[in-house]
Amino acid sequence: MLGECRIISLPKIADPRGNLSLVESERHIPFRIARVYTIYNVPGGERRGGHAYGTLHEFIISLSGSFDVTLTDGRETRSFSLARAYYGLYVPPMIWRQMENFSTNGVALVLASQHYDEADYFRDYERYCRAALEPAR
Ligand code: TYD
């Protein structure tokens, strides 16, 4: 499952007036965008996330500054550093993810495949591991 998580490069239209990057739903990312939210003004040392989604896909971009996203599938862990607007991290369902090491002015843009639904969250790591590892037993 962790193997599906990957950095996806986005089109970058370089211009002396300033660069432009874009994401098209179901074209550059493998899902339809239903919701967009931002995470910003994160105090030094704080962490966001610390949960997984049962069915939601997401794509995370750094619009400003930098931060790290740590992913685990209950077995392996991988970390990705996001620092530019012309690429992002695709995270499929059933991956536990945490966002940390936000720089000053770090801004995360999250594109999500579903509207907000608390029932889709796994917020307890033990419960997540039981669900994620169950099929392999
Ligand atoms: P949460 O997803 O737990 O944030 P993070 O993973 O970054 O720590 O959401 C924090 C709070 O915001 C929680 O009370 C739910 C609420 N929320 C919404 O109401 N709608 C949304 O689209 C999101 C992402 C969060």
Side-chain angles (χ1 to χ4, degrees):
M1 285 197 302
L2 208 51
E4 290 178 65
C5 303
R6 61 188 185 277
I7 295 289
I8 296 177
S9 297
L10 301 171
K12 178 180 173 185
I13 301 168
D15 192 303
R17 298 171 300 159
N19 297 338
L20 183 154
S21 283
L22 60 126
V23 187
E24 289 181 355
S25 185
E26 297 179 284
R27 177 175 259 182
H28 301 120
I29 54 175
F31 61 86
R32 183 185 292 256
I33 299 165
R35 178 167 53 109
V36 177
Y37 64 94
T38 53
I39 297 173
Y40 54 96
N41 281 357
V42 178
E46 283 293 344
R47 293 174 170 175
R48 299 293 315 213
H51 53 67
Y53 304 104
T55 58
L56 180 142
H57 300 245
E58 67 181 1
F59 187 67
I60 307 170
I61 304 171
S62 170
L63 286 187
S64 169
S66 63
F67 55 89
D68 298 331
V69 185
T70 301
L71 305 177
T72 179
D73 60 5
R75 296 173 189 277
E76 295 173 66
T77 298
R78 286 183 70 185
S79 275
F80 296 85
S81 187
L82 300 183
R84 296 284 185 268
Y86 55 80
Y87 64 84
L89 177 63
Y90 167 63
V91 184
M94 291 304 288
I95 296 290
W96 188 270
R97 64 104 157 131
Q98 187 152 277
M99 301 162 75
E100 57 210 338
N101 299 327
F102 279 82
S103 67
T104 306
N105 295 333
V107 178
L109 177 73
V110 184
L111 311 180
S113 66
Q114 296 173 25
H115 293 169
Y116 174 71
D117 176 13
E118 184 62 34
D120 193 47
Y121 277 70
F122 284 85
R123 293 194 181 273
D124 178 75
Y125 188 66
E126 300 301 320
R127 187 173 82 88
Y128 161 73
C129 283
R130 281 197 297 277
L133 303 176
E134 181 66 29
R137 280 190 189 135

